[in-house]
Amino acid sequence: MGRFTFRLPDIGEGIAEAEIVAWHVKVGDKVEEDGRLADMMTDKATVEMESPVSGVIVEVAGETGDVIAIGSPLVVIEVEGAGNAVDRAPAPKAEVVEQRIAAETPDAEDVERVEQAVTPSSEPKPAPAPAPEPTPPPAATGAKAPQPRAATHSKVMASPAVRKRAADLGIDLSEVRPAEEGRLRHSDLDAFLSYNASGGFQPAGRKGQDEQVRVIGLRRRIAENMAASKRQIPHFAYVEEFDVTALEETRAQLNAGRGADMDGRPKLTMLPFLITAICKLLPKYPMLNAHYDDEAGVVTRYGSVHLGMAAQTPAGLMVPVIRNAQDRNLWQLATEIGRLAQAARDGSAKSSELSGSTITVTSLGPMGGVATTPVINRPEVAIIGPNRIVERPMFVKGADGVERIEKRKIMNISMSCDHRVVDGWDAASFAQDLKKLIEAPALILAG
C-alpha cells in the first residue's frame, strides 16, 4: 500500500489560492477514480475537485472555510501500489519522550518546598460565629405580617365593573396584585396587561437560540468585496425623480402585442428600457463606464457596455454580466436578463458570466424603497438603482398650456459614483439626460 497526495491544481489564470466551500469526503471514506472530493471557490467561480485515483482518504487539508494555496496538498489517499507521497520523518522514539517527561516533571523535594511556601502558619483558627437566635414573631400591636396572596377568585376584593372587565379579558383576578392593599382597581388591570404575559397575554415574540454562523464561500466573498468598496471608494449618491407613466403605458402595449408572431418573447419589465437608455447615454458619459485601478492610478474607459445585473440568489448576491448590452434590443435584453438570473439562482452560471462588468444596475423590483444608496461593484466607478414605482397626484400641463392634477406613476432612480473619477456635475447631467429618455419612451425605441 502507498499514499497518493493530491495537490490543488492550477484552476484559473492568475489564481493563487482557493477556499474550501464543501467537502464530499472525509477521513476513512473510500473514493473512486473521478469521484468528487471537494468544492473550491476562487474569485471567479466554484470548481469541483475530482480524485485522479481510487483509494481510501487518510488526510484532508482543512475544514470548510479554510483557504489553501495552489499546489498545496488537498487530500492524501491510500492506494494500491507505491503512490506518490514522500515518506514522513519517523516519530520520536519512546525513550526520548520519556526523557522529556522526566525532565519536565517536578521531583518530591520541589513539591514539598512549594507546599511549605503556600501552607499558612499554624495559628489558632477563629471560633465560628454563634448561630443567630430565631427572630420572635411580631407582636400583636406591632407591624402587620405580610398578607398571603388571594388564592381564589372569590376572595379578591374588586368592584363589579372590574370583575366584568377581567372576565371579558380572560384574566384571573387572583393573579393580579393590587398597587395598594385592599380592593383591585382598573389601574391594576392596566398594569397587569402592560407587564404580565400570563393568562393568555402573549409577549411580542419568542426568545430564540444564539447561533454562530461561519462566513464562508460566497458570503465571505461578498463581505470582502463590500468592505473593500466602502473602505477604498469615496462614494457619493444622487437621486432623481422620474415620471414613468408614459413608459409603463408603452411597456403594457408591447406586452399585450405579443401574439402568434411573437411566440417565445419574454414579458418586458422596466429593466430592458432602463438598460437601453443607459447604453444610449454612456458614449456621452464615458467616465461612468469605466474601471479605476487605484494602485496603478489608471482609469480604463470602455467602448462596450458589459452591464452587471445584481441578482439575489439562495447563496447570496451575485452579479451576472450582460455582454455587449449596447448591441441588443429590448426583447433580446429581456431574454438575456431572464437567462442570467436563472443561471445565477440555480448555480449553473459560468465564470465568464460572473465577471468583467463595466457598470452595474441593481434593482429590488416591487420591494425597492423610496431611495437607495447602492455600493459600487469595485473596480467599477458607478452603479444605478431603480426604486419602487408609486402613484402620486402631480401637476401636468396639457396641450392647451393649462396645468391639471393627474395621477402619475413616479419612480426614483438612485446612483452611487466614485468621486475620485466621477464629478457631481457629470453624475447630475447623466441623470437629467436619463430622465428625458425615460419620460419620453419613443426616444428609447428610436434607433
Side-chain angles (χ1 to χ4, degrees):
M1 301 291 287
R3 292 193 172 192
F4 181 91
T5 300
F6 176 69
R7 300 180 180 275
L8 183 62
D10 186 356
I11 52 181
E13 182 179 357
I15 302 300
E17 60 185 16
E19 178 185 348
I20 305 171
V21 294
W23 278 112
H24 299 298
V25 295
K26 61 182 183 296
V27 174
D29 285 354
K30 185 175 181 180
V31 63
E32 299 294 334
E33 184 176 352
D34 297 330
R36 296 193 305 167
L37 295 175
D39 293 340
M40 308 298 296
M41 172 173 281
T42 68
D43 292 333
K44 298 181 179 180
T46 299
V47 182
E48 187 177 84
M49 295 291 106
E50 297 179 348
S51 175
V53 295
S54 300
V56 178
I57 303 296
V58 294
E59 291 184 21
V60 295
E63 301 178 352
T64 55
D66 290 347
V67 177
I68 64 175
I70 299 297
S72 298
L74 182 64
V75 296
V76 177
I77 306 172
E78 190 174 65
V79 297
E80 296 288 343
N84 70 348
V86 179
D87 292 337
R88 299 182 179 181
K93 295 182 178 180
E95 55 266 24
V96 177
V97 176
E98 291 176 358
Q99 290 174 4
R100 290 186 57 190
I101 295 175
E104 296 175 3
T105 304
D107 55 21
E109 295 181 359
D110 293 335
V111 174
E112 183 178 355
R113 285 196 295 269
V114 172
E115 290 179 350
Q116 291 176 356
V118 299
T119 302
S121 58
S122 56
E123 295 181 358
K125 296 183 180 180
E133 297 181 0
T135 305
T141 58
K144 295 182 179 179
Q147 299 294 325
R149 290 183 61 186
T152 62
H153 189 283
S154 60
K155 294 182 180 180
V156 176
M157 297 181 61
S159 67
V162 172
R163 291 183 182 276
K164 183 178 184 306
R165 183 187 176 197
D168 293 340
L169 294 172
I171 299 175
D172 184 356
L173 289 180
S174 65
E175 297 180 0
V176 183
R177 188 182 297 276
E180 300 177 0
E181 292 186 4
R183 186 182 300 273
L184 283 174
R185 306 181 186 279
H186 285 285
S187 58
D188 300 320
L189 291 182
D190 294 336
F192 179 85
L193 291 172
S194 299
Y195 301 107
N196 200 301
S198 61
F201 298 94
Q202 298 298 325
R206 296 183 179 275
K207 181 179 179 180
Q209 297 293 326
D210 295 341
E211 182 182 9
Q212 288 187 338
V213 180
R214 292 193 67 192
V215 180
I216 64 173
L218 179 60
R219 177 52 55 188
R220 176 188 282 180
R221 300 293 181 188
I222 294 172
E224 292 172 349
N225 292 340
M226 293 298 103
S229 179
K230 293 297 288 185
R231 182 173 58 249
Q232 299 183 23
I233 298 178
H235 288 61
F236 76 89
Y238 186 92
V239 182
E240 182 55 275
E241 185 178 80
F242 289 62
D243 186 338
V244 295
T245 306
L247 189 147
E248 283 293 276
E249 292 173 354
T250 301
R251 186 174 69 87
Q253 292 169 1
L254 290 174
N255 283 329
R258 293 182 304 155
D261 58 337
M262 293 188 178
D263 287 343
R265 288 191 175 181
K267 183 177 181 181
L268 292 174
T269 64
M270 172 69 67
L271 281 181
F273 293 91
L274 178 61
I275 293 172
T276 301
I278 291 172
C279 290
K280 285 180 176 291
L281 290 176
L282 284 179
K284 183 180 177 181
Y285 298 94
M287 74 291 294
L288 296 175
N289 189 41
H291 284 181
Y292 178 45
D293 186 340
D294 45 10
E295 293 183 358
V298 176
V299 176
T300 303
R301 296 179 174 182
Y302 293 95
S304 299
V305 181
H306 304 309
L307 192 135
M309 182 186 64
Q312 187 65 35
T313 72
L317 182 66
M318 302 182 74
V319 186
V321 182
I322 303 174
R323 299 287 175 186
N324 296 301
Q326 77 282 346
D327 295 336
R328 303 173 188 263
N329 60 33
L330 288 175
W331 302 105
Q332 291 170 337
L333 285 171
T335 301
E336 188 69 355
I337 289 171
R339 185 189 72 82
L340 288 174
Q342 181 59 38
R345 284 192 293 268
D346 61 24
S348 63
K350 301 176 183 177
S351 174
S352 59
E353 295 173 334
L354 297 173
S355 61
S357 56
T358 58
I359 188 171
T360 296
V361 170
T362 176
S363 172
L364 293 175
M367 293 184 63
V370 175
T372 53
T373 55
V375 179
I376 296 171
N377 185 23
R378 185 171 171 269
E380 298 168 22
V381 298
I383 185 170
I384 301 170
N387 297 287
R388 184 178 65 244
I389 297 176
V390 297
E391 292 185 338
R392 189 183 302 162
M394 304 286 290
F395 284 103
V396 178
K397 184 177 291 186
D400 56 1
V402 179
E403 286 189 337
R404 298 177 177 84
I405 297 178
E406 295 183 5
K407 182 173 67 174
R408 309 292 292 181
K409 293 183 177 180
I410 306 299
M411 179 182 72
N412 291 339
I413 290 186
S414 305
M415 290 179 58
S416 291
C417 299
D418 186 340
H419 221 328
R420 299 172 300 179
V421 178
V422 182
D423 295 331
W425 178 268
D426 296 327
S429 300
F430 172 84
Q432 296 306 317
D433 285 347
L434 184 63
K435 179 182 176 74
K436 293 176 184 177
L437 291 179
I438 294 296
E439 294 186 350
L443 299 176
I444 297 178
L445 299 176

